[in-house]
Structures are given as structure tokens and as C-alpha cells.
Amino acid sequence: MPRPLDECGPDTDWGEAQELRSTLVLSTAMVDALRRLQPDDGAAPELLEVVACCLRLRESLLLTIAVDGWIWPVTLHPQCGLYKAPIDWLHAPPSGLWAARLVACEPPHGEPPRRHAESRRALPPCHYPLGELLWTLALLGPRNAPLRALAAGERFRALGGGRPETASVRLPGALGSALARLRAGPAGFETICRWPGLDAARAARLLNGLYLEGRLVTDDGPIDADARDSAWSDTQPSRWPPRGTGVRPSPAWRAARNS
């Protein structure tokens, strides 16, 4: 269950809330990857980068996340496409998720479920489809810049289906329209930022979500003419507040591209 952050001390930071509560250990590959993600000042690795690392290595991981004065335990099970949390973050995301920070990473307390159940009612208690959490963190979480893995990409294209173990989430409004265009043909980041209803931050969040879901690829070929004329009707009303268009890419993107 979540617990108040102040129970861990007012200055709880990366690693200070971590307790050895499992007989399992993280793999050497996971430990090395987490060390590479940790900033030089000793601060916690960025939350979404750690989630991406967990998906790449397909290794279960217990994340301790500080959100709006509370500590949340969230266990990722990429092997079976599930995550374990006190509540379903897709339908009831914690308030203040935009300022969430990672406090600790450790092995899960137990073995992952044997398989992904077809029905939500058949899922183990407190387990939910992983794809829903990935999109919740990508769209509502703290990261406004593209993930490191996307830094070298010039143009991006969305695939029709992602990882079999991640459940797809229907995107609303301008995000759904942008996804339709990316499925029709590749586009560069600066071009995506100029699409109706998008800016640099929202374009980055869209690309991050597609990457986490396993649906994003880079494509150096020419942009298909049909992509510029793709249909924009198969969407839902947007839950995002309206913003101006034509915003230039953020400095964070340029820094990532040059790193």
C-alpha cells in the first residue's frame, strides 16, 4: 500500500527508502544499466528511463515512486505484460504525477504471474495491463523530452502493433490524429511538433509512449505523400487543454540529440 513520504523522513532521496525485502537479486545487466542512467550528482535516474530499461531487459523490477507526498510501490512484470500497484493508474492516476520521482529500485517480492490473463477480471489481485501504465507515465509523468534511445532518430514511424505483452491504449484527440499520420509514413520530430494540437513536449510524450509500447521505429526513407493526407476522423475528444501550434522543439530535445 502507499504510505506517506514523511514516514520515511523529510529528506528521503534516491536509495534512502530502499529496504531489502526480497530474496531475489537484480541481474548484472540491470545493475549496470541503472548505474549508467544515474546522474553524476548521485540523484535518482529519471523514472521513464528506468521503465524503458526494464522493458528492454525484460526483467521484473519493483519501483518505489514518490508522488505528491506519498510513496507508491509499483512492480513491473514485462515478461507477462502486467504491473502490480495498489490501484489502477490508468483509471485513477495519483495527483501530481507530473512531479513523480524515483526513490528506489529493487527486485520484486515474488515471482511474476505465470501468464497474462485474457480478461481483466481474471488478473491476479492488484495486477493491471502494463501497456496502460506505460501510456499513463508517458502522457502524465514528469518527462517532457524524448528518451535517450530516441536521440539518434531523424524520422519516426509508428507500427500497427507493438510488443505482444503490452496492451494498446486508444489515444484521444490530436494525439490519435498524430498516431494515424505516423502509421501512414515517417516524420521528423520538428515536423511532428508543428502538427495541429502538438508542441515539443506533447510530441516527445507521444514518441516516448510509442517507443515503450514497442510501436516506434526510425525510418530514413522519404516521407510518403499519403501521410500528409491521412484521415483524421478516427479519434476521441481530447482531454488535453488547447495550446498554440508552431512551438519550437525544446532545448531538452536538442541536448538529447547532441549527447
Side-chain angles (χ1 to χ4, degrees):
M1 295 297 295
R3 55 194 173 142
L5 181 61
D6 54 14
E7 289 185 2
C8 306
D11 299 322
T12 298
D13 207 341
W14 168 244
E16 294 180 9
Q18 186 170 354
E19 302 173 2
L20 185 60
R21 293 170 288 182
S22 172
T23 58
L24 302 176
V25 295
L26 297 177
S27 68
T28 302
M30 176 64 76
V31 173
D32 291 342
L34 292 175
R35 286 173 177 168
R36 288 193 296 270
L37 292 175
Q38 187 169 355
D40 294 336
D41 60 3
E46 202 276 328
L47 174 59
L48 205 63
E49 290 284 5
V50 172
V51 173
C53 175
C54 177
L55 295 175
R56 285 193 296 268
L57 297 178
R58 295 181 59 82
E59 181 174 343
S60 294
L61 193 63
L62 170 58
L63 307 179
T64 303
I65 306 172
V67 184
D68 197 25
W70 290 82
I71 290 289
W72 290 80
V74 178
T75 304
L76 309 181
H77 293 301
Q79 311 95 317
C80 54
L82 297 175
Y83 76 98
K84 182 179 180 181
I87 61 173
D88 184 351
W89 278 25
L90 175 68
H91 298 99
S95 61
L97 195 57
W98 59 271
R101 63 183 177 90
L102 194 60
V103 175
C105 294
E106 58 184 301
H109 294 172
E111 296 292 337
R114 290 183 179 272
R115 66 182 184 89
H116 190 320
E118 296 297 331
S119 170
R120 292 181 66 94
R121 295 182 179 180
L123 294 176
C126 296
H127 285 74
Y128 311 97
L130 179 59
E132 298 177 354
L133 174 69
L134 302 180
W135 277 107
T136 298
L137 292 177
L139 297 181
L140 304 179
R143 189 173 183 91
N144 285 317
L147 292 162
R148 293 184 185 182
L150 309 184
E154 295 293 335
R155 284 191 291 250
F156 302 94
R157 182 167 184 161
L159 301 176
R163 298 183 178 93
E165 67 274 9
T166 59
S168 182
V169 173
R170 185 175 170 88
L171 298 178
L175 295 174
S177 301
L179 173 57
R181 299 184 77 169
L182 286 173
R183 290 183 63 179
F189 182 76
E190 295 189 4
T191 299
I192 299 172
C193 293
R194 294 192 295 268
W195 287 350
L198 298 189
D199 58 16
R202 297 177 73 187
R205 290 177 179 273
L206 172 64
L207 294 180
N208 289 342
L210 290 172
Y211 173 75
L212 294 175
E213 197 182 27
R215 298 177 62 187
L216 189 69
V217 296
T218 58
D219 192 337
D220 293 329
I223 298 177
D224 296 333
D226 293 341
R228 295 190 293 269
D229 302 322
S230 60
W232 281 55
S233 58
D234 187 21
T235 61
Q236 298 180 28
S238 176
R239 61 178 176 178
W240 292 82
R243 299 187 183 183
T245 59
V247 180
R248 294 182 178 180
S250 65
W253 166 258
R254 299 187 183 277
R257 290 287 304 274
N258 296 327
S259 61

Short mmCIF file of all heavy atoms in Angstrom, two decimals, residues 228-253:
data_model
loop_
_atom_site.label_atom_id
_atom_site.label_comp_id
_atom_site.label_asym_id
_atom_site.label_seq_id
_atom_site.Cartn_x
_atom_site.Cartn_y
_atom_site.Cartn_z
N ARG A 228 0.70 12.85 -45.51
CA ARG A 228 0.29 14.24 -45.32
C ARG A 228 -1.22 14.40 -45.47
O ARG A 228 -1.78 15.41 -45.07
CB ARG A 228 1.01 15.13 -46.33
CG ARG A 228 2.52 15.19 -46.12
CD ARG A 228 3.13 16.28 -46.98
NE ARG A 228 3.02 15.97 -48.41
CZ ARG A 228 3.96 15.31 -49.09
NH1 ARG A 228 5.06 14.90 -48.47
NH2 ARG A 228 3.81 15.07 -50.37
N ASP A 229 -1.87 13.38 -46.10
CA ASP A 229 -3.31 13.48 -46.36
C ASP A 229 -4.10 12.42 -45.62
O ASP A 229 -5.24 12.14 -45.99
CB ASP A 229 -3.57 13.34 -47.87
CG ASP A 229 -2.84 14.39 -48.66
OD1 ASP A 229 -2.75 15.53 -48.19
OD2 ASP A 229 -2.36 14.04 -49.75
N SER A 230 -3.51 11.82 -44.58
CA SER A 230 -4.19 10.72 -43.90
C SER A 230 -5.44 11.21 -43.17
O SER A 230 -5.56 12.37 -42.79
CB SER A 230 -3.23 10.06 -42.89
OG SER A 230 -2.81 10.98 -41.92
N ALA A 231 -6.37 10.27 -42.97
CA ALA A 231 -7.64 10.62 -42.32
C ALA A 231 -7.42 10.99 -40.86
O ALA A 231 -6.59 10.41 -40.18
CB ALA A 231 -8.61 9.43 -42.43
N TRP A 232 -8.20 11.96 -40.40
CA TRP A 232 -8.09 12.43 -39.01
C TRP A 232 -9.39 12.20 -38.24
O TRP A 232 -9.62 12.82 -37.22
CB TRP A 232 -7.79 13.94 -39.01
CG TRP A 232 -6.36 14.24 -39.29
CD1 TRP A 232 -5.62 13.85 -40.36
CD2 TRP A 232 -5.48 15.00 -38.48
NE1 TRP A 232 -4.35 14.31 -40.27
CE2 TRP A 232 -4.22 15.04 -39.12
CE3 TRP A 232 -5.62 15.67 -37.27
CZ2 TRP A 232 -3.12 15.69 -38.59
CZ3 TRP A 232 -4.53 16.34 -36.75
CH2 TRP A 232 -3.30 16.35 -37.40
N SER A 233 -10.23 11.30 -38.68
CA SER A 233 -11.56 11.17 -38.08
C SER A 233 -11.62 10.14 -36.99
O SER A 233 -12.51 10.20 -36.13
CB SER A 233 -12.58 10.82 -39.17
OG SER A 233 -12.20 9.61 -39.82
N ASP A 234 -10.73 9.16 -36.98
CA ASP A 234 -10.83 8.04 -36.04
C ASP A 234 -10.15 8.38 -34.73
O ASP A 234 -9.13 7.81 -34.36
CB ASP A 234 -10.21 6.78 -36.65
CG ASP A 234 -10.47 5.56 -35.78
OD1 ASP A 234 -11.41 5.61 -34.97
OD2 ASP A 234 -9.73 4.59 -35.92
N THR A 235 -10.69 9.35 -34.01
CA THR A 235 -10.11 9.79 -32.75
C THR A 235 -11.20 9.99 -31.72
O THR A 235 -12.39 9.94 -32.02
CB THR A 235 -9.34 11.11 -32.92
OG1 THR A 235 -10.26 12.12 -33.37
CG2 THR A 235 -8.22 10.98 -33.94
N GLN A 236 -10.77 10.27 -30.48
CA GLN A 236 -11.68 10.59 -29.40
C GLN A 236 -11.49 12.06 -29.04
O GLN A 236 -10.45 12.64 -29.33
CB GLN A 236 -11.39 9.73 -28.16
CG GLN A 236 -11.56 8.25 -28.42
CD GLN A 236 -11.27 7.45 -27.17
OE1 GLN A 236 -11.44 7.93 -26.05
NE2 GLN A 236 -10.84 6.24 -27.34
N PRO A 237 -12.46 12.67 -28.35
CA PRO A 237 -12.26 14.05 -27.90
C PRO A 237 -11.03 14.14 -27.00
O PRO A 237 -10.79 13.29 -26.15
CB PRO A 237 -13.55 14.34 -27.12
CG PRO A 237 -14.56 13.40 -27.69
CD PRO A 237 -13.78 12.16 -28.04
N SER A 238 -10.25 15.19 -27.16
CA SER A 238 -9.01 15.33 -26.43
C SER A 238 -9.25 15.75 -24.99
O SER A 238 -10.11 16.58 -24.70
CB SER A 238 -8.11 16.36 -27.11
OG SER A 238 -6.94 16.55 -26.35
N ARG A 239 -8.49 15.16 -24.04
CA ARG A 239 -8.54 15.59 -22.65
C ARG A 239 -7.45 16.60 -22.35
O ARG A 239 -7.29 17.02 -21.22
CB ARG A 239 -8.40 14.38 -21.72
CG ARG A 239 -7.08 13.64 -21.88
CD ARG A 239 -7.00 12.48 -20.90
NE ARG A 239 -5.80 11.71 -21.09
CZ ARG A 239 -5.45 10.67 -20.34
NH1 ARG A 239 -6.21 10.30 -19.35
NH2 ARG A 239 -4.34 10.01 -20.59
N TRP A 240 -6.65 16.97 -23.37
CA TRP A 240 -5.58 17.94 -23.18
C TRP A 240 -6.15 19.34 -23.36
O TRP A 240 -6.98 19.59 -24.22
CB TRP A 240 -4.46 17.73 -24.20
CG TRP A 240 -3.71 16.48 -24.00
CD1 TRP A 240 -4.06 15.23 -24.44
CD2 TRP A 240 -2.47 16.30 -23.33
NE1 TRP A 240 -3.13 14.31 -24.09
CE2 TRP A 240 -2.13 14.94 -23.41
CE3 TRP A 240 -1.59 17.17 -22.68
CZ2 TRP A 240 -0.97 14.43 -22.86
CZ3 TRP A 240 -0.43 16.67 -22.13
CH2 TRP A 240 -0.13 15.32 -22.22
N PRO A 241 -5.66 20.32 -22.59
CA PRO A 241 -6.08 21.70 -22.81
C PRO A 241 -5.53 22.21 -24.13
O PRO A 241 -4.45 21.81 -24.55
CB PRO A 241 -5.46 22.45 -21.62
CG PRO A 241 -4.31 21.61 -21.20
CD PRO A 241 -4.72 20.19 -21.48
N PRO A 242 -6.27 23.08 -24.83
CA PRO A 242 -5.78 23.59 -26.12
C PRO A 242 -4.53 24.41 -25.95
O PRO A 242 -4.38 25.16 -24.97
CB PRO A 242 -6.96 24.44 -26.62
CG PRO A 242 -7.71 24.81 -25.39
CD PRO A 242 -7.56 23.65 -24.46
N ARG A 243 -3.62 24.28 -26.89
CA ARG A 243 -2.39 25.04 -26.89
C ARG A 243 -2.12 25.58 -28.28
O ARG A 243 -2.67 25.09 -29.27
CB ARG A 243 -1.19 24.18 -26.45
CG ARG A 243 -1.33 23.62 -25.05
CD ARG A 243 -0.04 22.92 -24.65
NE ARG A 243 -0.15 22.31 -23.34
CZ ARG A 243 0.87 21.69 -22.74
NH1 ARG A 243 2.04 21.61 -23.32
NH2 ARG A 243 0.71 21.15 -21.55
N GLY A 244 -1.25 26.57 -28.34
CA GLY A 244 -0.88 27.13 -29.62
C GLY A 244 -0.01 26.17 -30.39
O GLY A 244 0.64 25.30 -29.83
N THR A 245 0.01 26.29 -31.69
CA THR A 245 0.84 25.45 -32.54
C THR A 245 2.06 26.21 -32.98
O THR A 245 2.21 27.40 -32.74
CB THR A 245 0.04 25.00 -33.78
OG1 THR A 245 -0.38 26.17 -34.48
CG2 THR A 245 -1.17 24.18 -33.37
N GLY A 246 2.98 25.48 -33.62
CA GLY A 246 4.17 26.12 -34.13
C GLY A 246 5.25 26.33 -33.10
O GLY A 246 6.15 27.15 -33.29
N VAL A 247 5.20 25.62 -31.94
CA VAL A 247 6.21 25.77 -30.91
C VAL A 247 7.49 25.07 -31.33
O VAL A 247 7.44 23.95 -31.83
CB VAL A 247 5.69 25.17 -29.58
CG1 VAL A 247 6.73 25.34 -28.49
CG2 VAL A 247 4.40 25.87 -29.18
N ARG A 248 8.59 25.69 -31.11
CA ARG A 248 9.86 25.11 -31.50
C ARG A 248 10.23 23.96 -30.57
O ARG A 248 9.82 23.95 -29.41
CB ARG A 248 10.96 26.16 -31.46
CG ARG A 248 10.78 27.26 -32.51
CD ARG A 248 11.92 28.24 -32.45
NE ARG A 248 11.78 29.25 -33.48
CZ ARG A 248 12.65 30.24 -33.65
NH1 ARG A 248 13.71 30.34 -32.84
NH2 ARG A 248 12.46 31.13 -34.59
N PRO A 249 11.04 22.99 -31.04
CA PRO A 249 11.47 21.89 -30.17
C PRO A 249 12.20 22.42 -28.94
O PRO A 249 12.89 23.43 -28.99
CB PRO A 249 12.40 21.07 -31.08
CG PRO A 249 11.94 21.40 -32.45
CD PRO A 249 11.49 22.83 -32.41
N SER A 250 12.02 21.70 -27.82
CA SER A 250 12.59 22.15 -26.55
C SER A 250 14.10 21.98 -26.53
O SER A 250 14.65 21.14 -27.24
CB SER A 250 11.98 21.33 -25.41
OG SER A 250 12.37 19.98 -25.52
N PRO A 251 14.80 22.76 -25.69
CA PRO A 251 16.25 22.57 -25.54
C PRO A 251 16.60 21.17 -25.08
O PRO A 251 17.67 20.66 -25.40
CB PRO A 251 16.61 23.63 -24.49
CG PRO A 251 15.54 24.67 -24.59
CD PRO A 251 14.30 23.91 -24.94
N ALA A 252 15.69 20.54 -24.31
CA ALA A 252 15.98 19.17 -23.84
C ALA A 252 16.13 18.21 -25.01
O ALA A 252 16.95 17.30 -24.99
CB ALA A 252 14.87 18.70 -22.89
N TRP A 253 15.29 18.40 -26.06
CA TRP A 253 15.42 17.53 -27.23
C TRP A 253 16.75 17.78 -27.92
O TRP A 253 17.43 16.85 -28.32
CB TRP A 253 14.27 17.80 -28.20
CG TRP A 253 14.49 17.21 -29.56
CD1 TRP A 253 14.89 17.84 -30.68
CD2 TRP A 253 14.36 15.84 -29.92
NE1 TRP A 253 15.01 16.97 -31.73
CE2 TRP A 253 14.68 15.73 -31.29
CE3 TRP A 253 13.98 14.69 -29.23
CZ2 TRP A 253 14.64 14.53 -31.98
CZ3 TRP A 253 13.94 13.49 -29.93
CH2 TRP A 253 14.26 13.42 -31.26
#
